[in-house]
Amino acid sequence: DTAVSQTPKYLVTQMGNDKSIKCEQNLGHDTMYWYKQDSKKFLKIMFSYNNKELIINETVPNRFSPKSPDKAHLNLHINSLELGDSAVYFCASSRGRSSYNEQFFGPGTRLTVL
Amino acid sequence: ILNVEQSPQSLHVQEGDSTNFTCSFPSSNFYALHWYRWETAKSPEALFVMTLNGDEKKKGRISATLNTKEGYSYLYIKGSQPEDSATYLCAPTIRSDKLIFGTGTRLQVFP
C-alpha cells in the first residue's frame, strides 16, 4: 500500500497553461506539505496544511495555490505556468505539525514547462 | 535564513569501509534535527529525528549524534554496503514546524 501518493508522476505542459498535482496520504496524518526541489537539488518548503488549515506559506508566486479538501489530500494548482516552474514537486505528510514528527514523502511529480 | 551546511558534498568508499558526514547549522532557536536517506529515483525516507543535545540514535549500521550547543550533527555508517549508496540529507528547524534541508552528502559505495 502506498503511504503518500502523487499524481501525475510526470507532467509536460506548455507555458501559460494551468495544471494541478494531486497528493493523497493513507497514514491518518494531520499535516501535509508541498516541497519544490530546485535546480540546485535543494528541497524547499512551499506550503503546509494542518487539518485542512494553512500553517506555512512560503514566498512563492501567488500563481501557486494549495487546496486541502480533507486532511488526507493536499493538491497544488499552478496557474499561468512559466519555464521556471519546471522542477520536481514532492508532497509529504507527518503525524502532526511539530517538527519532532518525521515526514513521509511521496514519489515526486516531475513538471516540465515547455 | 537558516544556513545548513553538509560536508562532504560527495563521498566514494569501498564496500566494508566505515564513513561519516557532517551537518552544521546555527545553534540558536533549535527545535529538532532530521536525517533523511534519499536513493536515486525514490523519495526521501526518514532515518532519525533528534532533539536533545548529546542525543545518539542508531538504526542497524547507521548512527547519528547531535550537538545543539555548537550546531552540528554527525552521521556514521559502519561497514558500508552498496545498498547504502544514496544522498543523506539533514534538516534542522528554525521554528517548531518547518524543516530546512541541506543539499546533502551523496554517498557511493563500490563493491
Side-chain angles (χ1 to χ4, degrees):
Chain A
D1 271 354
T2 305
V4 182
S5 59
Q6 293 178 230
T7 53
K9 194 168 180 182
Y10 300 97
L11 184 54
V12 181
T13 189
Q14 297 286 333
M15 226 168 34
N17 284 348
D18 302 339
K19 290 291 177 187
S20 291
I21 308 172
K22 295 187 176 181
C23 179
E24 177 180 1
Q25 54 94 3
N26 63 7
L27 298 167
H29 288 169
D30 285 343
T31 310
M32 295 184 73
Y33 311 82
W34 276 110
Y35 287 89
K36 180 180 180 180
Q37 185 186 16
D38 66 17
S39 55
K40 295 184 180 177
K41 307 296 184 186
F42 276 107
L43 270 178
K44 289 189 175 174
I45 183 75
M46 298 173 70
F47 302 103
S48 174
Y49 271 72
N50 186 66
N51 270 322
K52 303 196 297 174
E53 179 191 348
L54 181 67
I55 57 170
I56 294 176
N57 186 356
E58 290 299 286
T59 308
V60 298
N62 56 16
R63 298 180 295 103
F64 288 78
S65 53
K67 285 191 172 49
S68 182
D70 55 62
K71 73 175 194 176
H73 296 85
L74 181 62
N75 304 323
L76 184 66
H77 189 75
I78 315 170
N79 287 328
S80 303
L81 278 154
E82 299 178 358
L83 294 177
D85 297 332
S86 295
V88 183
Y89 293 85
F90 286 91
C91 175
S93 73
S94 63
R95 189 164 28 178
R97 61 184 293 176
S98 163
S99 60
Y100 299 153
N101 294 301
E102 64 185 64
Q103 295 184 11
F104 293 77
F105 284 80
T109 295
R110 182 176 291 277
L111 171 65
T112 304
V113 183
L114 303 174
Chain B
I1 296 175
L2 186 71
N3 191 23
V4 182
E5 292 186 5
Q6 290 191 246
S7 61
Q9 281 191 332
S10 65
L11 196 51
H12 299 130
V13 302
Q14 285 294 127
E15 182 176 355
D17 287 350
S18 293
T19 187
N20 64 83
F21 4 104
T22 307
C23 172
S24 301
F25 52 90
S27 54
S28 57
N29 298 321
F30 176 84
Y31 283 90
L33 182 118
H34 293 222
W35 279 101
Y36 286 83
R37 181 170 176 274
W38 193 356
E39 287 183 70
T40 304
K42 293 190 177 178
S43 321
E45 288 183 3
L47 285 172
F48 307 113
V49 179
M50 309 174 78
T51 56
L52 298 175
N53 185 45
D55 251 357
E56 286 189 35
K57 297 238 174 162
K58 190 175 179 182
K59 188 182 281 191
R61 293 178 292 98
I62 304 177
S63 60
T65 60
L66 177 65
N67 184 322
T68 61
K69 292 184 179 177
E70 294 179 44
Y72 65 83
S73 176
Y74 293 138
L75 189 82
Y76 301 91
I77 303 179
K78 187 177 175 182
S80 304
Q81 300 296 309
E83 58 264 30
D84 296 328
S85 298
T87 297
Y88 291 83
L89 299 173
C90 77
T93 58
I94 59 168
R95 53 186 243 193
S96 61
D97 56 8
K98 181 176 161 183
L99 272 62
I100 306 294
F101 283 88
T103 48
T105 291
R106 188 175 177 183
L107 173 68
Q108 207 149 357
V109 183
F110 293 104

